Amino acid sequence: MKPVLLAGETFHVTSFASKGYEVGASARYSNGAERYIQGLAAHGVVVVQIGGERCESEFPTTMDGLDAYSTVVLSDVGALSLLYTPQTRAGRRSVNRLELLREWVDQGGALMMAGGYCSFQGIDGLAMFRGTAVEECLPIECFPGPDGLEAPEGLDPVIHEISHPILAGVPSPIPYVLGMNRVAARGDMETKTLIHCGHRTGQMPLLSVRDYGAGRTLAWTTDIGPHWLSQDFMQWPGYDLLMANMIRWLAREI
């Protein structure tokens, strides 16, 4: 299988501490995909990661560039990080990479969006995928405003389609999650919601899949790592297999 391209999941955190008139600053860099990359590696899936801060200059801008990968995974990276290019910053026309991704999927590519503070519409509504070409091909529809749901009490996943290849061999029950993006599943024949979480507002899709043109798409509406994925989930024996099966299904390996 070709490598997986993972875009996003990196963070720069700057902190300030004041002691009277004295103010000190510190900074750190964090990668939220370490557990995910480890889990896929356990099943022989190679991941090439482009952090969110590098997407503007490094994310592919051509079909040939995308064809180097079996699957593209967007995780905790907003639409603007893909729409901005060095050319547009200089005031010139450039490629719309969201349109490029939709066209690539339509011609046989595979796209996954994973949840997080900057996925779908995002915790503050800043991810802004609603109304884009990427949303058009996903198995879900984004709500217009902020969509992040924090659930400190935990949300328990409920399986709908136990016979689907993605869930083959995955042990149950699936551990709880601590939050997710609120989205609406599409009602067309090409879309299936495999897992949902119950909430006071109703059933919310956790894992949905879709055939789109000659390609496939998948929405996983919680994190692939901390903090929305609980420690119980990340230590769960089924984590590696579930994450790998998502990629294998998208790439038509299962």
Side-chain angles (χ1 to χ4, degrees), residues 41-235:
H43 286 265
V45 179
V46 175
V47 177
V48 174
Q49 184 178 14
I50 300 176
E53 75 284 355
R54 293 162 44 212
C55 282
E56 178 180 323
S57 59
E58 298 182 31
F59 192 90
T61 56
T62 65
M63 297 286 278
D64 286 344
L66 291 173
D67 281 341
Y69 303 99
S70 66
T71 306
V72 172
V73 179
L74 305 180
S75 185
D76 245 341
V77 60
L80 289 180
S81 294
L82 299 174
L83 290 170
Y84 285 144
T85 68
Q87 291 76 24
T88 55
R89 283 198 180 275
R92 297 191 299 272
R93 286 180 186 265
S94 185
V95 63
N96 184 321
R97 287 186 280 213
L98 305 187
E99 294 284 355
L100 180 71
L101 280 168
R102 188 208 62 76
E103 182 181 352
W104 182 66
V105 172
D106 189 48
Q107 295 185 17
L111 175 65
M112 169 179 169
M113 183 174 287
Y117 272 30
C118 207
S119 297
F120 302 100
Q121 277 296 86
I123 192 82
D124 295 315
L126 297 178
M128 298 193 300
F129 280 102
R130 178 178 169 85
T132 69
V134 161
E135 183 202 28
E136 181 181 325
C137 66
L138 287 174
I140 57 82
E141 294 178 331
C142 298
F143 291 131
D147 66 9
L149 172 65
E150 291 289 337
E153 74 280 15
L155 300 170
D156 296 312
V158 177
I159 297 175
H160 283 285
E161 297 269 354
I162 191 65
S163 61
H164 194 277
I166 290 177
L167 297 174
V170 174
S172 61
I174 299 174
Y176 65 92
V177 300
L178 294 170
M180 60 193 299
N181 298 91
R182 290 171 288 192
V183 299
R186 295 184 185 274
D188 57 59
M189 295 297 292
E190 292 76 28
T191 298
K192 291 183 179 180
T193 294
L194 308 184
I195 307 174
H196 80 267
C197 287
H199 185 253
R200 60 188 299 271
T201 58
Q203 295 183 358
M204 300 181 297
L206 178 63
L207 174 59
S208 297
V209 297
R210 185 186 188 193
D211 291 316
Y212 182 83
R216 287 178 168 178
T217 62
L218 182 152
W220 171 249
T221 60
T222 192
D223 276 327
I224 55 173
H227 80 281
W228 279 350
L229 274 198
S230 62
Q231 287 297 320
D232 286 353
F233 199 115
M234 289 188 293
Q235 295 168 12

